[in-house]
Amino acid sequence: MNNSVTRFAPSPSGLLHVGNVRTALLNFLVSKKSNGKFILRIDDTDQERSKDKYIDSIKEDLSWLGLNYDECYQQSNRITLYDKAFDILKAKDLIYPCFETPDELDKKRKRLITRRMPPVYDRAALKLKQDEIKSLLDSGKKPYWRFKLSSKKIKFKDLIRGDVSVDLAAQSDPVIKREDGDYLYNLPSVVDDIDMNITHIIRGEDHITNSGIQIEIFNALNSNIPLFGHNSLLVSENGEPFSKRNAAASIEQLKEKDIDPNAVNSLNASIGSSVDIEAFESLDLLADKFEISSLSKSPARYSNNQLDKLNSQLISNYDFEKISLLLKDKNDFLDAEFWDCIKQNISTLSEVNDWIKILNEPIEGDFNLEENYLTIAQDLLPNEPWDSKTWDEWILRLKEKTQKKGKELFMPIRIALTGKTNGPELNKLILLMGYNKVMERLKRK
Ligand code: GLU
């Protein structure tokens, strides 16, 4: 693959979710692998549903993920290009005006469905004579426009799905321009893909039929056809598709949870593929390993657990310098020993905060601990100076004295010191706390 040019083309009608950014990532990786170009194209021809605030959030989210684009375009600024293509298609008799109201179309559809026939548009408007069209226009009726499909089976080799065939005979001629003059998705998309020299179009499987339709438009505009790859849709843990309306797993939310963007990218590049899920510390490393052909046709299941796991793998490998950079505002509390102590036990950056709190603020809650045991623990607590052997020494004394073993021996101490049943190794933790704090916490009831 040489200098592939790819694009991510979101409609700015909602916040991005993990499924959307998976498509962005796949396009990014295909271009990155070949030293090509990655373009952000905002599909905002639908003026009613497009909002500037979503354009801003799309850009912010991509930048958070490190999916930096080389160029950015907004379709609403490119209408003259679409007008030109429209005129070309019109001159070739490939588009025709239609006048049916939504109500009339709906009735036609329902009639076909009751007769158990596919609800394909009957092309009644194509049969209108020139003078009929003229008198409709003269009476003030505004047309909308359809593209005339052939009845071919369009075949192409999909980068992910292999041989794909789209039967255009089973499709209604797509509306490409509405009554109000706004273009619908198909024509601007093809015009831009041609104008931007897109070589690879990676998008969701819900666009397979559109690809068949668009191949006819590419041909009608005498253009080369890019390669297509239709990735399977991402579904949530319970098998539901993600949507812009369902805010779960919006990028916004992942940011709030302090998830590392590399964890999101690592997960997104490997779910629904034949490769093992692995944590990559950078997009460069990810691009080196990525092969689009490893993606599979079956739905990709997103898992919060897997994301947390990858996140914790990534974070626990960060050195102190990197973590201090990420947690600039916490630097008063962070030091290399603290980081070394907790890093294996956290899966998000916000958990660093939790541990800062546990170590520095009083522990609240009634844990029903055996008071007598804690008193013995106080009596046997070695005096300072402490070192890495202090914990072992203390626990051995306790064992000999109480005959307790394993969990019974150390769990009450862990709970008294941290208020939790799990966490960093106690031998390191007590060194961070020091004698006075350990003593103070053992005295709690
Ligand atoms: N705006 C379309 C979407 O968000 C773009 C599809 C494409 O990549 O062509 O689904």
Side-chain angles (χ1 to χ4, degrees), residues 7 9-11 41 43 185 189 203 207:
R7 87 294 194 279
S11 312
R41 187 186 86 200
D43 281 6
Y185 161 66
S189 180
R203 58 188 172 200
H207 282 291

Side-chain angles (χ1 to χ4, degrees), residues 49 101 105 160 173 199 242 263 395:
R49 294 180 58 214
T101 63
L105 289 174
I160 298 165
D173 288 340
T199 59
F242 286 103
I395 212 76

Side-chain angles (χ1 to χ4, degrees), residues 1 22-23 26-27 30 156-164 200-205 208 227-233 271-274 290-300:
M1 266 187 237
R22 179 161 171 261
T23 302
L26 300 178
N27 281 288
V30 166
F156 59 92
K157 244 213 177 7
D158 191 284
L159 296 164
I160 298 165
R161 323 180 87 76
D163 289 324
V164 169
H200 294 67
I201 296 181
I202 317 296
R203 58 188 172 200
E205 61 185 329
I208 292 179
L227 294 171
F228 290 96
H230 294 90
N231 53 282
S232 55
L233 289 189
I271 31 176
S273 83
S274 55
F290 176 76
E291 290 300 339
I292 185 126
S293 55
S294 70
L295 293 177
S296 103
K297 289 196 252 186
S298 28

Side-chain angles (χ1 to χ4, degrees), residues 203-244:
R203 58 188 172 200
E205 61 185 329
D206 50 332
H207 282 291
I208 292 179
T209 307
N210 281 333
S211 296
I213 292 172
Q214 292 180 13
I215 285 175
E216 288 238 306
I217 305 180
F218 275 107
N219 282 330
L221 295 172
N222 289 330
S223 159
N224 292 334
I225 317 277
L227 294 171
F228 290 96
H230 294 90
N231 53 282
S232 55
L233 289 189
L234 197 64
V235 295
S236 66
E237 266 148 334
N238 46 22
E240 284 164 15
F242 286 103
S243 85
K244 287 188 177 164

Side-chain angles (χ1 to χ4, degrees), residues 119-138:
V120 174
Y121 176 61
D122 61 7
R123 291 186 161 167
L126 199 52
K127 290 165 203 127
L128 290 173
K129 305 218 170 59
Q130 280 310 320
D131 55 335
E132 288 172 311
I133 294 177
K134 188 171 178 302
S135 71
L136 280 164
L137 293 175
D138 288 347

